[in-house]
Amino acid sequence: MKCAVIVFPASNCDRDAHDAIMHVTGTPPQMVWHGDSEVPDVDLIVLPGGFSYGDYLRCGAMAAHSRIMTDIRRKAGEGVAVLGICNGFQILTEAGLLPGTLMRNAGLKFVCRPVELVVDESQSLFTRNYSRGERVTFPVAHGEGNYFASDDVLDRLEAEGRVAFRYAEGENPNGSARNIAGILNEKRNVLGLMPHPERACDPLLGSVSGRAMFQSLLEKLS
Amino acid sequence: MRARVFVTLKPGVLDPQGKAIGHALNSLGFKSVGDVRQGKVIDLELAETDREKASASLRDMCEKLLANTVIEKYDIELRS
Amino acid sequence: MRARVFVTLKPGVLDPQGKAIGHALNSLGFKSVGDVRQGKVIDLELAETDREKASASLRDMCEKLLANTVIEKYDIELRS
Amino acid sequence: MIPNNIAAHGLSADEYARIQQLLGRDPNLVELGIFSVMWSEHCSYKSTRAHLRRLPVTGPQVIQGPGENAGVVDIGDGDVVVFKMESHNHPSFIEPYQGAATGVGGIMRDVFTMGARPVAMMNALRFGAPDHEKTRHLVSGVVAGIGGYGNCMGVPTVGGEVNFHSAYNGNILVNAMCVGLARRDRIFKSAAKGIGNPVVYVGSKTGRDGIHGATMASAEFSEDSEEKRPTVQVGDPFTEKLLLEACLELMSTDAIIAIQDMGAAGLTSSSAEMAGKGGTGIDLDLDRVPQRENDMTAYEMMLSESQERMLMVLKPGREGVAETIFRKWELDFAVIGKTTGTGRMIVRHKGAVVADIPVNALSDEAPVYQRPFTAKSSPARTPVEIDPGRDIAESLLKLLACPDLCSRRWIWEQYDYSVMTDSVQPPGGDAAVVRVHGTNKALAITTDVTPRYCRADPFEGAKQAVAEAWRNLTAVGASPLAVTDNLNFGNPERPETMGEIVRCIDGIAEACRALSFPVVSGNCSLYNETGGEPILPTPAIGGVGLMDDVAREASIGFKRNGDVLILIGEARGELGQSLYLREIESREDGPPPRVDLAVEKRNGDFVRALIRSGRTNTVHDLSDGGLLIAIAEMAIAGGLGAMLDLPDRAAPFLFGEDQARYVIAAAPDAAETVLSDAAAHGVPAIRIGKCDGDRLIITGRLSIPVARMRSAHESWLPSFMAGDPASRAGLAAS
Ligand SMILES: Nc1ncnc2c1ncn2[C@@H]1O[C@H](COP(=O)(O)OP(=O)(O)O)[C@@H](O)[C@H]1O
Ligand SMILES: [Mg+2]
């Protein structure tokens, strides 16, 4: 599997994403600068977490206009897998590649902790190595992860099986609508999620449940 | 030319922060405070003298960057 | 009564957000944009009909909670 | 020069006379400003310098001791750890969010200036009494500010400490520590060498931020409009993140001769220090300095404390390489001067020379004082009287929920502690454990001091701070390496306060020497007093240790039913200055616990060996609150109870804060070996019970569900903070 991790100004989980992918798949991803006009020919594009452009104005808003995004939009349209984690998820919604938006946490504070998630949809490139209803633990670390969309959009996401992950009952760290933690696009080749699977790939760090996501991708995309 | 852009949440979109401010004000003793909503104000200097052109350009900025039209609306005020 | 409170950074105080927005607008092709500063706007409903009293109370709210007067200033606008 | 103006610049008449003598004339206003900041307590350490010389600063592991931007310690394989702690107390009191945020930014720059990538942040915080009107507001702002900056930088904040005490009502303490990693052969220093080399300014533009308070009073500014007032520094972590990446990128080339961050007194201190250390002169042209505001004066530019800026001396001809990198990261870049052979700092503005000062007048000639002091004698070691009839369960629950002992989760969950995927032990344990990326090694990090001990007995208290840091590192299985300190005190011109400073330094020196735990960097923050009320003497100790095998780490949580609990170390029942006395008996008196450094070392070395040999992976050191609190914390962390069988059930045994002690849990067969080994090493060790069920039980005296202890421990801080309207409204991060 060939993979690229995009580096925006003040991305800060780019190295973590790189290492998790390298660790699970054995191949180092290419690091691609936001100012480039083209992503190399890869099977998976990762938009990592961080504070692109300081999260100023709105999280992900400025990164969504980076030069590289034009090509990402095109490649996503052609079916290349795109994974947006945390700030990457915010960028994907700002870029219109995923519906809805991420608002400030209901508790109005940044929150960092491991949270329990329920895999709500295992029929996707990203989640096929999980089973539906499986519980996994990924850390969250964000100030604006409160997923919001109109009721129609939420109904549609649910009806089409596009809610990939939900926070387990009582675990919602940010007030997100219908406990949504991660969603797929219509063609199911784009996933955005607030929790960090790349921080859950090493037993020393408390959870390895993120590995299955990278393994799913590896098996499907190789 | 100077311009001020207001970016506020659309009616109906929940504003947890505004609500929290309202609560905080009530508990500080400002009992007359009802609904509170918070938005952004962006002040810009523009090297543009034509008001029409400035307006059009500001609208464009709002659509492209300054507002997230999924949840926000914007208003533009030209000054001087 | 409805009121709008503007909370903006005092002149001279660094505004990293405004700076980044200006930068982003320039690189989106809005070359006429110069200095940009960002602030907050807070819309409140008040169960108060006396304008004087409303103003005084709003000023008090700003001093106590809405503005951080070490770095921010505020302006109050009464509407309707 | 008008006497008023001299005083407003914080200079004494004698100091001014000395300046006239050094210059051979009267200084102009710009020069006066430059002297005032360079000769300030903050930059010159004039009250403490003579005493700091007594600290041990060397050791086989030390590569760079005090004197550079941060200390550097060898961790093997060509890797080094670079660290320092620094205070941002006063700014955080004025504007808690920005004060704390820029404190974090400042200490990170100190570390990456040395060529290190920051890998962990710590914060040692002291606030006023919980019921003081400002406390909540300050807590919420400071915590949000630390998180706001550190989180954006993508450097995990992995631990710290927090105390509440009325002595900090008017002077909170915000001490931030940054730990970074570098390669031994890629360390950067600040001595400007060579003549004619370009001096380069990078980072953010210069504004009127945080200009020395003196400017407010000085003549030139008296008629200035509101717009021109110096302002509070606002942090821009986004720019700092770019600056970090750009600097590290440039450091991988060979372009840099010297580099220095612009911290307090910005351009002045960075240029004077670089030239001073390099033995060169320096010429600066202020017209080339990137400026954020119109019409800035030379005085303002030289004294501005705008954040996120660096000064570098480059090899001639490498300006282009550097500029390309900084432009790529969209940062300002300007050649603003050059090194010279004149030994003078010459500043030009609008074509005129506005300052011309011999560089050594600013550094070597800065005043050093032997201030008079009165040293307090140690309090008498008479037994502390207490009410013997109190209910243990009630005391335990009250202590677990008290402001100084309750869980700090409300704080650390606002910090991204898991970014960089090396935080093997997140906040909540004795020391944070951070893996050295891509290796099996790990760093252990802690910050400690018990100010109430230091007030009662500065010498013993300071020894205790070092001993506790050393013990916390040991408790996770690390070998303590070295220390950074942050000496926070009141006004040194008062003999009693100066006595606290002197005795605390003596205590640190003695403990660091005895434990082979040298001081490699540090910071002093004096004049922390309001209305004649000084803070408690607070010499915060930041300790760093090394683990060769990260898999062999111990943590505090109970892990298995049936594990045997062993108390290591002798219990004398020392209740003087204990939290038990303060919280249960409402008294702050008596002598603090004795610190026997030889015993500390012996017991600690024994425990570390147990961890390394795999006999235990459950260890907690005993400190605030004593034995029963430690056991309760272990039970809460592990979600597992214990059945205790204690030789003594009186409060002094249960809650005494005797030093050099640990509780460990070991499997039954390992426990036998531990006890016999201890006997062989002369280490006191007794069996005190076993892990069991979901309650903490002392038969006949106490039986409390772990869940009940947890809720007592977890609820105080969140409910306390819920009383802050600004925090609840999310306005702390304005
Ligand atoms: N300001 C803070 N930021 C992050 N973590 C903190 C802070 N204060 C305390 N902690 C964490 O809470 C735990 C308990 O702190 P403390 O009681 O001071 O530990 P100890 O007594 O072992 O020194 C530690 O893991 C510490 O790192
Ligand atoms: Mg401890």
Side-chain angles (χ1 to χ4, degrees):
Chain A
M1 176 176 74
K2 282 181 290 177
C3 173
V5 175
I6 313 298
V7 183
F8 297 97
S11 285
N12 64 31
C13 304
D14 42 340
R15 189 189 77 179
D16 297 349
H18 172 280
D19 290 3
I21 290 164
M22 164 94 174
H23 190 68
V24 178
T25 69
T27 318
Q30 302 183 53
M31 306 307 277
V32 177
W33 186 240
H34 69 101
D36 291 356
S37 51
E38 231 177 288
V39 186
D41 181 25
V42 293
D43 310 301
L44 170 67
I45 299 171
V46 178
L47 277 58
F51 284 68
S52 59
Y53 293 94
D55 273 358
Y56 297 145
L57 188 62
R58 290 183 314 278
C59 303
M62 297 184 204
H65 291 287
S66 291
R67 185 133 186 240
I68 197 74
M69 286 307 294
T70 312
D71 193 47
I72 292 178
R73 210 176 268 112
R74 190 174 59 79
K75 289 201 160 76
E78 290 166 358
V80 174
V82 177
L83 170 62
I85 302 167
C86 196
N87 194 225
F89 184 15
Q90 295 163 338
I91 296 169
L92 289 173
T93 60
E94 282 284 345
L97 284 165
L98 288 171
T101 188
L102 293 142
M103 299 182 62
R104 191 156 176 205
N105 292 352
L108 305 173
K109 285 196 260 306
F110 189 94
V111 52
C112 176
R113 69 166 80 116
V115 295
E116 203 173 51
L117 307 171
V118 180
V119 179
D120 209 67
E121 178 55 59
S122 58
Q123 305 292 306
S124 82
L125 286 173
F126 307 90
T127 55
R128 42 194 293 288
N129 282 15
Y130 297 102
S131 45
R132 182 144 199 236
E134 185 177 339
R135 292 185 167 235
V136 296
T137 302
F138 296 171
V140 295
H142 59 248
E144 312 205 3
N146 181 352
Y147 185 72
F148 174 88
S150 66
D151 283 333
D152 310 348
V153 172
L154 294 170
D155 290 344
R156 229 184 106 192
L157 285 172
E158 288 183 336
E160 293 173 2
R162 287 165 55 196
V163 176
F165 295 96
R166 287 185 210 261
Y167 301 110
E169 209 51 49
E171 290 271 301
N172 188 334
N174 52 34
S176 170
R178 302 190 194 176
N179 292 328
I180 287 174
I183 55 167
L184 295 158
N185 69 340
E186 223 165 319
K187 286 167 77 180
R188 310 175 84 79
N189 65 319
V190 177
L191 170 69
L193 79 172
M194 288 313 295
H196 288 273
E198 83 283 15
R199 296 189 195 181
C201 291
D202 181 342
L204 269 179
L205 304 178
S207 166
V208 290
S209 45
R211 280 184 183 173
M213 182 181 296
F214 298 105
Q215 251 141 14
S216 303
L217 288 160
L218 177 67
E219 286 163 21
K220 196 70 186 175
L221 298 176
S222 295
Chain B
M1 175 155 355
R2 291 187 309 125
R4 175 163 263 190
V5 172
F6 297 90
V7 180
T8 49
L9 286 172
K10 288 183 178 164
V13 174
L14 198 68
D15 176 12
Q17 175 133 28
K19 215 159 117 188
I21 294 173
H23 272 299
L25 287 172
N26 286 155
S27 70
L28 281 174
F30 298 102
K31 300 292 179 201
S32 72
V33 174
D35 203 36
V36 177
R37 313 243 330 145
Q38 181 178 315
K40 284 180 248 200
V41 49
I42 300 165
D43 291 313
L44 307 96
E45 306 260 5
L46 292 181
E48 173 66 74
T49 46
D50 183 312
R51 297 180 69 87
E52 285 299 300
K53 282 199 195 139
S55 273
S57 160
L58 284 162
R59 264 196 305 279
D60 203 15
M61 291 180 213
C62 287
E63 291 286 339
K64 284 218 179 95
L65 183 72
L66 300 180
N68 176 348
T69 51
V70 177
I71 48 168
E72 294 170 330
K73 63 189 178 55
Y74 56 85
D75 292 291
I76 290 165
E77 212 177 86
L78 289 180
R79 329 176 113 193
S80 77
Chain C
M1 172 158 352
R2 291 190 308 125
R4 176 163 263 194
V5 171
F6 298 91
V7 180
T8 49
L9 285 170
K10 290 182 177 169
V13 174
L14 175 71
D15 178 11
Q17 302 230 41
K19 192 173 103 187
I21 294 169
H23 210 83
L25 288 172
N26 287 155
S27 58
L28 278 175
F30 298 102
K31 300 292 180 200
S32 72
V33 174
D35 202 37
V36 177
R37 314 259 306 160
Q38 180 177 322
K40 283 184 265 201
V41 50
I42 300 164
D43 291 313
L44 306 97
E45 304 263 5
L46 291 181
E48 172 66 73
T49 47
D50 182 311
R51 296 179 69 86
E52 284 299 298
K53 282 199 194 139
S55 273
S57 162
L58 285 162
R59 263 197 304 280
D60 203 17
M61 291 178 211
C62 287
E63 292 286 339
K64 288 216 176 96
L65 184 77
L66 301 179
N68 174 357
T69 51
V70 179
I71 52 174
E72 293 171 332
K73 62 187 177 60
Y74 56 86
D75 292 291
I76 291 166
E77 215 177 85
L78 289 180
R79 330 177 111 193
S80 75
Chain D
M1 191 70 49
I2 320 142
N4 251 346
N5 216 338
I6 297 163
H9 279 81
L11 293 163
S12 68
D14 287 348
E15 286 169 344
Y16 184 71
R18 182 96 184 98
I19 292 170
Q20 288 172 310
Q21 191 198 342
L22 286 164
L23 289 179
R25 58 177 165 82
D26 283 352
N28 63 31
L29 187 64
V30 178
E31 291 165 339
L32 186 69
I34 291 174
F35 272 104
S36 86
V37 293
M38 290 306 293
W39 285 16
S40 67
E41 188 65 56
H42 188 93
C43 290
S44 72
Y45 291 84
K46 56 191 169 192
S47 303
T48 53
R49 190 130 59 127
H51 300 285
L52 292 171
R53 293 198 185 109
R54 293 198 296 277
L55 295 172
V57 297
T58 55
Q61 72 276 38
V62 177
I63 290 175
Q64 174 67 56
E68 278 292 336
N69 286 299
V72 182
V73 175
D74 195 358
I75 56 168
D77 311 308
D79 298 321
V80 294
V81 57
V82 178
F83 59 96
K84 183 167 190 283
M85 176 153 47
E86 194 154 82
S87 63
H88 228 205
N89 302 335
H90 188 60
S92 302
F93 187 76
I94 306 285
E95 208 316 88
Y97 184 93
Q98 295 300 341
T102 52
V104 168
I107 192 63
M108 282 194 187
R109 283 195 297 286
D110 274 330
V111 166
F112 71 78
T113 307
M114 302 288 297
R117 178 174 286 281
V119 297
M121 294 297 300
M122 300 286 284
N123 57 111
L125 312 176
R126 262 85 204 176
F127 296 103
D131 59 7
H132 187 263
E133 53 174 12
K134 284 207 153 130
T135 300
R136 281 190 183 88
H137 163 71
L138 292 167
V139 173
S140 67
V142 164
V143 170
I146 290 171
Y149 209 101
N151 297 348
C152 179
M153 290 297 289
V155 179
T157 300
V158 292
E161 50 177 345
V162 190
N163 289 154
F164 296 88
H165 193 282
S166 57
Y168 303 102
N169 282 353
N171 294 86
I172 61 168
L173 302 184
V174 176
N175 296 171
M177 173 174 169
C178 179
V179 180
L181 286 167
R183 295 293 294 171
R184 185 177 179 148
D185 56 2
R186 303 294 306 164
I187 297 168
F188 291 81
K189 298 195 184 168
S190 56
K193 299 231 173 68
I195 291 171
N197 294 329
V199 174
V200 167
Y201 170 119
V202 297
S204 286
K205 291 182 173 32
T206 297
R208 292 189 178 90
D209 313 276
I211 292 170
H212 199 270
T215 57
M216 305 286 255
S218 66
E220 187 174 328
F221 300 91
S222 57
E223 59 217 275
D224 265 354
S225 64
E226 161 82 2
E227 331 283 273
K228 288 228 189 139
R229 277 277 173 69
T231 56
V232 169
Q233 301 109 291
V234 167
D236 180 359
F238 169 57
T239 297
E240 177 116 326
K241 169 71 172 161
L242 304 184
L243 189 60
L244 162 68
E245 299 301 338
C247 285
L248 292 181
E249 194 172 324
L250 181 60
M251 285 164 168
S252 68
T253 73
D254 66 346
I256 299 175
I257 293 174
I259 176 164
Q260 167 79 36
D261 68 295
M262 289 192 231
L267 200 47
T268 293
S269 64
S270 55
S271 55
E273 281 169 22
M274 286 172 93
K277 284 184 188 151
T280 63
I282 193 163
D283 277 8
L284 297 177
D285 181 355
L286 296 182
D287 297 318
R288 301 208 217 150
V289 169
Q291 294 160 48
R292 195 175 83 226
E293 304 283 324
N294 296 328
D295 308 323
M296 290 189 65
T297 64
Y299 183 99
E300 290 172 318
M301 276 188 267
M302 288 307 286
L303 269 63
S304 162
E305 295 194 351
S306 291
Q307 302 289 298
E308 293 94 22
R309 303 179 299 164
M310 291 272 190
L311 202 63
M312 308 185 294
V313 175
L314 298 182
K315 291 184 184 160
R318 301 299 161 82
E319 298 91 324
V321 180
E323 181 161 8
T324 307
I325 291 171
F326 284 89
R327 296 272 180 242
K328 167 184 153 197
W329 290 97
E330 304 188 10
L331 293 163
D332 273 294
F333 175 99
V335 178
I336 64 164
K338 60 176 192 298
T339 57
T340 67
T342 61
R344 303 184 78 83
M345 174 194 252
I346 297 176
V347 183
R348 291 186 177 77
H349 187 219
K350 303 197 166 148
V353 170
V354 292
D356 181 352
I357 306 174
V359 170
N360 69 355
L362 298 173
S363 46
D364 306 347
E365 299 293 338
V368 172
Y369 295 129
Q370 283 286 357
R371 297 200 187 274
F373 64 90
T374 52
K376 195 184 263 181
S377 52
S378 299
R381 300 224 157 249
T382 45
V384 176
E385 300 289 329
I386 52 156
D387 173 358
R390 292 187 194 275
D391 180 50
I392 297 177
E394 218 172 273
S395 299
L396 173 62
L397 288 172
K398 193 163 173 202
L399 278 167
L400 279 174
C402 84
D404 276 357
L405 274 180
C406 68
S407 166
R408 273 69 175 110
R409 182 183 306 280
W410 184 91
I411 295 174
W412 78 61
E413 284 195 344
Q414 295 184 56
Y415 302 151
D416 187 345
Y417 57 78
S418 59
V419 65
M420 292 185 102
T421 59
D422 288 312
S423 303
V424 175
Q425 236 184 88
D430 281 332
V433 176
V434 177
R435 177 173 47 196
V436 175
H437 198 69
T439 75
N440 267 333
K441 294 187 289 192
L443 301 171
I445 312 168
T446 182
T447 67
D448 294 281
V449 59
T450 311
R452 59 182 193 278
Y453 296 171
C454 296
R455 163 61 53 86
D457 185 341
F459 182 70
E460 278 306 287
K463 275 166 64 185
Q464 193 278 339
V466 175
E468 187 175 344
W470 189 88
R471 202 184 314 140
N472 275 323
L473 300 176
T474 296
V476 296
S479 304
L481 282 177
V483 157
T484 180
D485 64 49
N486 204 145
L487 306 180
N488 306 275
F489 292 92
N491 180 352
E493 292 161 44
R494 287 151 53 100
E496 310 77 59
T497 300
M498 195 62 217
E500 292 175 343
I501 298 173
V502 170
R503 292 302 282 158
C504 279
I505 291 175
D506 287 337
I508 294 172
E510 175 157 316
C512 287
R513 199 164 279 124
L515 298 170
S516 308
F517 201 26
V519 177
V520 295
S521 58
N523 172 244
C524 294
S525 169
L526 308 184
Y527 297 97
N528 292 290
E529 74 173 57
T530 304
E533 275 292 310
I535 58 164
L536 301 183
T538 312
I541 301 296
V544 174
L546 178 66
M547 298 159 73
D548 293 326
D549 180 2
V550 64
R552 283 279 158 96
E553 53 138 11
S555 56
I556 72 168
F558 286 154
K559 296 175 184 67
R560 286 163 303 267
N561 259 319
D563 272 5
V564 175
L565 301 180
I566 297 171
L567 170 64
I568 309 272
E570 192 188 350
R572 295 203 193 93
E574 301 210 52
L575 276 184
Q577 297 298 333
S578 65
L579 283 182
Y580 183 85
L581 266 201
R582 191 176 88 193
E583 299 294 323
I584 309 297
E585 302 268 338
S586 308
R587 273 158 53 203
E588 296 182 56
D589 58 19
R594 272 159 290 196
V595 180
D596 182 329
L597 296 162
V599 170
E600 191 74 59
K601 179 146 173 30
R602 182 195 65 197
N603 295 0
D605 288 347
F606 177 72
V607 168
R608 190 178 318 105
L610 291 181
I611 299 170
R612 298 221 164 148
S613 65
R615 296 221 172 85
T616 179
N617 62 358
T618 305
V619 177
H620 193 5
D621 79 305
L622 269 55
S623 54
D624 284 344
L627 176 65
L628 203 55
I629 289 296
I631 294 173
E633 288 171 347
M634 297 172 88
I636 294 167
L640 185 60
M643 179 82 81
L644 301 182
D645 180 11
L646 303 173
D648 181 350
R649 298 155 155 211
F653 180 81
L654 297 175
F655 299 109
E657 298 182 358
D658 316 37
Q659 299 294 297
R661 298 191 301 161
Y662 304 79
V663 170
I664 69 163
D669 50 337
E672 289 308 324
T673 330
V674 170
L675 291 166
S676 57
D677 274 8
H681 285 84
V683 172
I686 54 167
R687 190 190 289 263
I688 54 166
K690 61 172 199 257
C691 296
D692 183 55
D694 57 5
R695 292 173 158 261
L696 183 62
I697 296 173
I698 306 177
T699 315
R701 287 294 307 260
L702 172 91
S703 173
I704 314 181
V706 174
R708 173 105 190 278
M709 296 194 294
R710 171 176 293 124
S711 72
H713 190 52
E714 292 290 349
S715 41
W716 186 81
L717 198 48
S719 39
F720 172 66
M721 291 311 299
D724 177 44
S727 166
R728 248 186 302 132
L731 293 173
S734 61

